């Protein structure tokens, strides 16, 4: 029996090695199986407040391997649980048995019939699919807030819906067909014309049971009516019994029972969806009321204006969202007391239709009891800001929770006309049970709201409080004719209450369904249906305080799709999980486990992190896991290595020149003369210390030249040291030459900092955790730029995106001691060229390239420069392509040479996409990223300004920049 209270992040048992060997013997194919404690710890966690550590992690690649795994489970009695994105909130994706990872593979995406149909694997994320549908003006129907990270497997398993789709465009309604592996090992493709007959022959008992259950339901008008009532609102409790009413053949009933079954009935190896239109025109408004009651009372009237979405944010939600730096002025600019907001959006296929909707809406808004007159805006930036606030609300609120507590997010649905009284009842329950910091938000249009409470399950008395609150909440919701789960799935949290919601007859039908599909109970036991009335109180996650970079994490997984090491080692969420597991092991006195995790952490967590900060761009609570890794590197670095790196800050020009000369010499001699001693040195000093040279690296760059500063200079030009170490691509000029040439073409005079050769943004030291060296070179560079910019009067332009970001960081770090540095402006060359150079250039039609492919970088993404990057590319080519699968290349300064496997893994999918077509030019905005993409694709990447310089004429179109 699992213990009530909290769960640890690792359970090491003596049978692990035997289990791994047994699974491998069962597979004739090559399949990844691990019982290593490290792998089990990082796989254990999902976004729920439950924690069970699997005994083994298996990563199959094909449906046939899954079928073989089912055979093993039948023979051994080892249950299986499937996991993909791990964004599930109800405990349906964690297990103490065998965890089957379907995220790494099964990522196929095929868009058919001009976007009307999407055929995808369960490992693809919703955003990846919608990115490919965008060009067709289509999207998938489900639109959960977690679309950046949730996978299609999870979308199907939980019958995802979301903010706009309601029950008309949810997963259940838009699923066209599926390829399903049943627990028996039978593979069913429901798209085949004879699929029902094949099912009858292959699975006669299952086929008969589904037929019989449909007949039973249809023969009883009361059962039919109850099913129709239950599913007239969002409802993901139990199994989707509406499939027995909505579909005639057993194979179609099977396909739609799989939806929302949370991996307890079979495995979806591929799902095909009917897509829905992506309306081109939209207008959004934030309506602020004095109270939650006033907001919910206005819902019926608002619904009469046909909004696509109505999202509710109570006072606590508004206060939490106001802490988001991207909220800006889009939230109320007054003290939030008991206020409540409704985020309302109207969508239409044409501008005139939207105008009609907007006019009706504004007429209604004028008569509502609002605190301020709302603005119904079509401005994309304002709308994006409002939706960013809403989509990140769960993680934002959970991230602000008291340290040491666990966030519990519930979702319920009631008929819209009962929502106001239900929200009032929830508020009373929060007060009664002492959850003063609880928040309510969600999809008010559907009568579907989420509420979040924070609980510390390490305190025994809190468990009784949570039990009592849950009982009262269940009574409240069912009393309002609602459902205890609207879109997050039943999971462990509500499995004990399925029978109470559906009654004995419908619950028995659900039991018959489970028994027909999975008679031995090998799939995800206890999830959806359970005989344990206390299941929701067992294996609750403990989150003791660890460290600043870790404690805010809610383990939502939003960071994982953008992480360059996700397919090689660990993700940001997993890096944080390891830190928590080490802390918990130490607290328990399990020092052997802590030691093992620390040992494995060296490569998996520290060495293979690109510290590129892409995780922060996706994290709702703005965690940059690179900060954690840099600190770990600082703690691990040896005295000799630290002293050596600190010394380089005093002679940086000599270091860059030495690197340049070494690269040029290496390129000129036979490769074995370099590779053999290079490999030997890596073997002695370590792969994380000595870079690996390869023939595809460029020759060395030229020394940075200071130039002569003009008294009428308009900008300070900072040539990054990357161009001094790494030369341009073959036949290229290099970005430094290109930028000077472009500036001269449009009459922009440049100033140059003194002693440029010894200046650097400090990133090489910062990324390695060498704080003294970083402080030294960053301070010296900031001083030189202050003098060159005439006390901040002139902007400073840097020609490599990561270095531009590094300079900005260096200035921010120096502001405490030198507050005057706030006036200095650092501008990346891409942004500067787009704003001040491009408008004055002519590109002759006969010089225009046919096609160009663009690789955005992590730094340009964080800086918001990608729009300007593509604008420059559009100026030089008729067709601009940004790969759908682009991501950080993970070259990360020298990281791609220290661990080339990291860059290879990070670029694989983008490389495959680029290599599928031919382009006239390949561009980016950072020298090491260009090297990384050149290595990955075999095509020569260069800075976009080099191409712009080649094709632009030396004529002015406007006045000089002042």
């Amino acid at each position: 029996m699992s213990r009530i209270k909290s769960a640890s992040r690792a359970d090491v048992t003596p049978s692990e090695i035997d289990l791994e060997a047994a699974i491998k013997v069962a597979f004739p194919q090559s399949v990844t199986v691990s019982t290593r404690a490290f792998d089990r710890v990082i796989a254990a966690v999902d976004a729920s407040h439950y924690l069970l550590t699997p005994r083994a992690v298996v990563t199959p690649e094909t449906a046939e391997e899954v079928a073989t795994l089912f055979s093993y489970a039948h023979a051994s009695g080892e249950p299986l649980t499937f996991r993909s994105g791990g964004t599930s909130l109800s405990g349906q994706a964690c297990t103490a048995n065998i965890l089957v990872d379907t995220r790494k593979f099964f990522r196929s995406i095929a868009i058919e019939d001009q976007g009307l149909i999407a055929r995808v694997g369960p490992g693809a994320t919703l955003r990846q699919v919608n990115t490919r549908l965008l060009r067709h003006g289509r999207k998938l129907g489900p639109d959960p807030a977690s679309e950046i990270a949730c996978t299609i497997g999870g979308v199907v398993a939980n019958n995802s819906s979301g903010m706009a789709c309601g029950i008309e465009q949810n997963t259940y309604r838009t699923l066209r067909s599926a390829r399903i592996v049943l627990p028996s090992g039978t593979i069913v493709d429901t798209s085949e014309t004879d699929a029902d007959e094949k099912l009858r022959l292959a699975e006669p008992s299952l086929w008969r049971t589904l037929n019989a259950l449909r007949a039973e339901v249809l023969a009883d008008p009361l059962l039919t009516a109850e099913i129709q009532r239950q599913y007239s609102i969002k409802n993901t409790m139990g199994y989707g019994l509406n499939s027995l009413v909505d579909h005639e053949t057993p194979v179609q009933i099977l396909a739609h029972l799989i939806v929302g079954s949370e991996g307890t009935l079979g495995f979806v190896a591929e799902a095909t969806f009917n897509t829905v239109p992506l309306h081109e025109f939209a207008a959004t408004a934030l309506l602020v009321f004095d109270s939650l009651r006033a907001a919910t009372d206005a819902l019926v009237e608002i619904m009469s204006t046909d909004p696509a979405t109505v999202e509710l944010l109570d006072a606590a939600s508004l206060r939490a969202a106001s802490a988001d730096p991207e909220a800006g002025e889009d939230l109320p600019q007054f003290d939030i007391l008991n206020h409540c907001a409704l985020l309302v959006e109207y969508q239409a296929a044409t501008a005139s239709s939207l105008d009609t909707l907007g006019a009706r809406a504004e007429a209604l808004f004028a008569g509502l009891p609002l605190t301020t007159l709302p603005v119904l805006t079509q401005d994309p930036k304002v709308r994006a800001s409002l939706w960013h606030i809403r989509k990140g609300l769960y993680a934002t609120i959970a991230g602000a929770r008291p340290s040491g507590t666990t966030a519990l997010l519930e979702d319920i649905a009631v008929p819209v006309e009962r929502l106001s009284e239900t929200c009032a009842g929830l508020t009373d329950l929060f007060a009664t049970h002492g959850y003063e910091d609880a928040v309510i938000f969600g999809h008010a249009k559907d009568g579907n709201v989420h509420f979040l409470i924070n609980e510390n399950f390490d305190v025994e008395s809190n468990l009784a409080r949570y039990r009592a609150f849950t009982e009262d909440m269940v009574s409240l919701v069912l009393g309002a004719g609602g459902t205890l789960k609207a879109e997050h799935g039943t999971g462990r949290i509500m499995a004990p209450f399925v029978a109470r919601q559906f009654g004995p007859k419908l619950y028995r039908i659900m039991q018959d369904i489970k028994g027909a599909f999975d008679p031995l109970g090998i799939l995800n036991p206890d999830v959806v249906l359970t005989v344990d009335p206390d299941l929701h109180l067992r294996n609750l996650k403990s989150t003791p305080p660890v460290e600043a970079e870790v404690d805010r994490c809610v383990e939502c997984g939003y960071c994982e799709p953008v992480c360059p090491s996700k397919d090689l080692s660990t993700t940001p969420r997993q890096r944080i999980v390891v830190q928590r597991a080490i802390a918990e092991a130490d607290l328990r006195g399990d020092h052997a486990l802590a030691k093992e995790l620390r040992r494995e952490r060296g490569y998996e967590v520290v060495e293979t992190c690109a510290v590129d900060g892409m995780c922060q761009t996706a994290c709702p609570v703005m965690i940059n896991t690179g900060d954690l890794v840099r600190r770990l590197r600082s703690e691990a670095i040896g005295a000799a290595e630290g002293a050596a790196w600190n010394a380089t800050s005093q002679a940086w020009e000599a270091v860059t020149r030495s690197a340049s000369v070494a690269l040029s010499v290496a390129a000129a001699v036979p490769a074995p003369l370099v590779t053999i001693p290079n490999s030997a040195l890596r073997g002695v000093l370590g792969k994380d210390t000595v870079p690996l040279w390869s023939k595809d690296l460029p020759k060395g760059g030229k020394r940075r030249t200071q130039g002569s500063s003009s008294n009428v200079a308009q900008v300070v030009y900072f040539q990054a040291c990357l161009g001094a170490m790494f030369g341009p691509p073959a036949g290229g000029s290099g970005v430094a030459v290109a930028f000077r040439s472009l500036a001269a073409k449009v009459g922009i005079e440049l100033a140059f900092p003194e002693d440029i050769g010894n200046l650097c943004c400090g990133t090489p030291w910062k990324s390695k955790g060498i704080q003294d060296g970083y402080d030294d070179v960053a301070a010296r560079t900031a001083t030189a730029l202050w003098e060159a910019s005439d006390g901040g009067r002139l902007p400073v332009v840097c020609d490599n995106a990561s270095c531009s970001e590094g300079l900005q960081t260096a200035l921010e770090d120096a502001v405490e001691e030198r507050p005057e540095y706030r006036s200095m402006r650092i501008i990346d060359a891409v942004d500067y060229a787009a704003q001040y150079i491009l408008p004055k250039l002519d590109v002759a039609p006969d010089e225009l390239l046919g096609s160009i492919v663009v690789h955005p970088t992590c730094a340009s993404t964080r800086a918001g420069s990608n729009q300007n990057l593509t604008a420059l590319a559009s100026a030089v080519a008729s067709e601009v392509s940004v790969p759908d699968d682009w991501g950080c290349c993970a070259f990360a300064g020298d990281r791609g040479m220290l661990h080339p496997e990291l860059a290879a893994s990070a670029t694989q999918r983008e490389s495959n996409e680029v290599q599928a077509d031919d382009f006239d030019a390949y561009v980016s905005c950072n020298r090491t990223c260009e090297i990384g993409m050149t290595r990955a694709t075999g095509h020569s990447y260069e800075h976009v300004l080099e191409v712009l310089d080649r094709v632009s004429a030396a004529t002015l179109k406007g006045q000089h920049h002042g």
Side-chain angles (χ1 to χ4, degrees), residues 877-890:
S878 301
E879 181 182 340
V880 176
S881 176
V882 178
D884 292 331
D885 279 320
W886 83 267
C888 172
C889 69

Side-chain angles (χ1 to χ4, degrees), residues 359-415:
R360 288 173 55 195
E362 288 175 330
L364 172 65
F365 296 165
L368 293 177
L370 302 172
T371 58
T372 57
L373 186 64
V375 176
L376 187 60
T377 180
Q378 298 183 45
D379 185 320
K381 290 185 178 179
V382 177
R383 291 184 55 248
S385 176
L386 289 170
W387 281 112
H388 167 81
I389 292 165
R390 169 59 191 92
K391 289 186 176 183
L393 195 54
Y394 158 64
T396 299
I397 296 169
R401 71 197 185 282
S403 182
T405 63
T406 299
L408 286 78
L409 183 69
E410 272 289 20
D411 74 307
I412 61 167
V414 296

Side-chain angles (χ1 to χ4, degrees), residues 347-363:
Q347 299 174 358
T350 65
S352 60
S353 297
L354 183 64
D355 289 342
T356 301
L357 287 171
R360 288 173 55 195
E362 288 175 330

Side-chain angles (χ1 to χ4, degrees), residues 883-926:
D884 292 331
D885 279 320
W886 83 267
C888 172
C889 69
F891 212 83
D894 64 355
R895 193 64 33 185
M897 293 182 289
L898 292 170
H899 296 285
E901 72 277 12
L902 171 62
S905 176
T907 56
Q908 182 178 5
R909 294 178 69 82
E910 181 178 359
S911 173
N912 292 341
E913 191 174 342
V914 170
Q915 291 172 322
D917 287 304
D918 289 323
F919 299 92
D920 295 321
Y922 302 79
V923 299
S924 189
C925 55
N926 205 74

